Amino acid sequence: MTTDHRSQPRPVTLEHVARAAGVSRATVSRVINGEATVDPRLRKLVEEAITQTRYVPNRAARSLVTRRTDSVALVVSEQEQRDVTGPFIGRIFTDPYFGRVAGGLLDVLRPRGVQVVLMLADDEASRAQLLGYLQQGHVDGVVLISSHAADPLPGLLAGTTLPAVLAGRPQAAATASLTYVDSDQVAGARLAADHLTSIGRRRLGTIAGPQDMPVAQERLAGFRTALEERGLRDVAVAEGDFTQASGGDGIRALLARRPDLDGVFVASDLMALGAVTMLHRLGKRVPEDVAVVGFDDSSSALASDPPLTTVRQPVEEMAAEMARLLLRQIAGGSGDGDDAGDGTAPERPSSSVLFRPALVVRGSA
């Protein structure tokens, strides 16, 4: 039996991608390797050509040259251990935020042939296991989602040579060297306060996130400060845990304290969805009786009835920027043979990015 080799498609090469994009082979190589010096317009052309030609890098050949694994870890860290069927694991797969982060990372990494490995850490043992895995060279870098101020993992990562980007601003001096991407949480909460007062709401409350999380602290502080500047200091506060159920519980608690409540800022869309659902059950009209403003502009905002007015933070764009910053660190680090050779860590770039939030007005306020 003979094989007709003519029927087997030839693999797509860098030259094919270069022709499709109208650029040089060297430019394609620089884009795939995550080099920061490529013009954004050319980078976009190359990424579109990679998709169009279905180019798949030869990972084995690349690894021999670059000494990289062509994979990065998306690490989600919690402060304490949870049962595997409990809130931690459940939140990873049900909270729209994590899916949006993964989508934004893949938009940048997948065209370059870089795989994303999801890893979870929620106690001392799992953190030690994670650090061992990372330092053994199984991945080229880390995007870390760490939500609690007391989480030791950012500090542990800062003490390694591994390229890393943090989702959110570092909270401790020991982690100041970490590159980060964040949204201005205080400014976003101020937008919610400005909108609620602009439509005449004065008997206000808020369902805040857990106050051991910096992002929740900043949203609560921004909302309170903006209202105090308008002479509104009597603000009812309930604390949720960024789940839909806690939003329903939170609105019940606010109404128990302040039955005349006419406006509420909820620190996440998922909690706001729970709050709106509970308001309907309690016979309250939204927005006629109680106006509701959420935060995130996630899929939960459109699942609500009426759709949520919300503060948009561009999570997909933020995650894409995390991926670009990480690729630049990887390209400039020991994977290219650029390390100092004396056992010291390559210096991490200090550039970080802060995105501006925006208000999206819909039917709930």
Side-chain angles (χ1 to χ4, degrees), residues 43-358:
R43 181 185 293 113
K44 188 173 187 296
L45 288 173
V46 172
E47 289 174 346
E48 291 173 349
I50 289 171
T51 301
Q52 174 189 334
T53 60
R54 299 183 180 179
Y55 171 73
V56 178
N58 185 327
R59 296 181 64 195
R62 283 184 62 192
S63 295
L64 287 173
V65 175
T66 64
R67 289 184 288 160
R68 298 182 198 153
T69 65
D70 284 337
S71 62
V72 300
L74 171 58
V75 177
V76 183
S77 180
E78 278 276 304
Q79 186 178 17
E80 72 275 356
Q81 187 174 17
R82 310 279 190 182
D83 184 83
V84 293
T85 60
F88 181 34
I89 294 294
R91 188 158 61 88
I92 300 303
F93 295 106
T94 60
D95 190 327
Y97 174 78
F98 297 103
R100 295 174 70 191
V101 169
L105 292 174
L106 289 171
D107 282 346
V108 172
L109 298 175
R110 186 162 48 189
R112 294 167 170 83
V114 178
Q115 305 300 311
V116 178
V117 181
L118 176 63
M119 305 189 73
L120 311 179
D122 59 359
D123 64 3
E124 185 176 354
S126 62
R127 283 190 290 271
Q129 184 181 45
L130 171 70
L131 281 172
Y133 180 88
L134 298 177
Q135 292 183 297
Q136 288 167 15
H138 294 293
V139 297
D140 299 322
V142 176
V143 172
L144 174 62
I145 300 176
S146 173
S147 54
H148 294 271
D151 186 356
L153 190 54
L156 294 172
L157 268 180
T160 73
T161 64
L162 197 66
V165 176
L166 187 62
R169 275 176 285 193
Q171 298 300 310
T175 60
S177 65
L178 288 177
T179 297
Y180 70 86
V181 174
D182 200 1
S183 176
D184 191 333
Q185 309 294 335
V186 171
R190 292 182 69 94
L191 290 174
D194 290 344
H195 181 69
L196 286 168
T197 54
S198 73
I199 60 175
R201 306 304 167 111
R202 293 293 182 271
R203 300 179 298 278
L204 298 172
T206 181
I207 303 174
Q211 290 304 290
D212 60 344
M213 298 174 64
V215 65
Q217 296 168 3
E218 291 174 5
R219 291 177 191 177
L220 177 58
F223 186 67
R224 277 176 157 165
T225 300
L227 293 180
E228 287 173 1
E229 292 171 358
R230 290 159 177 76
L232 299 174
R233 292 177 171 80
D234 184 17
V235 180
V237 179
E239 185 175 325
D241 61 6
F242 287 137
T243 63
Q244 184 172 341
S246 72
D249 294 339
I251 201 68
R252 274 186 178 276
L254 291 181
L255 288 170
R257 296 174 206 164
R258 185 154 199 175
D260 62 348
L261 186 78
D262 66 1
V264 61
F265 166 54
V266 189
S268 79
D269 287 344
L270 196 57
M271 289 199 301
L273 177 60
V276 169
T277 302
M278 183 59 68
L279 284 167
H280 290 324
R281 290 178 185 172
L282 296 174
K284 299 284 187 178
R285 298 171 300 164
V286 177
E288 293 85 355
D289 299 326
V290 182
V292 179
V293 177
F295 201 111
D296 286 329
D297 195 24
S298 68
S299 57
S300 298
L302 297 179
S304 172
D305 182 19
L308 287 174
T309 291
T310 185
V311 177
R312 181 177 188 268
Q313 57 173 352
V315 174
E316 291 85 357
E317 293 94 326
M318 291 163 63
E321 187 63 21
M322 291 178 214
R324 294 187 192 101
L325 290 170
L326 186 62
L327 288 175
R328 290 172 196 169
Q329 288 189 40
I330 293 168
S334 58
D336 284 331
D338 293 344
D339 57 319
D342 57 2
T344 60
E347 184 177 353
R348 290 190 178 96
S350 59
S351 58
S352 295
V353 180
L354 187 66
F355 282 77
R356 295 289 298 180

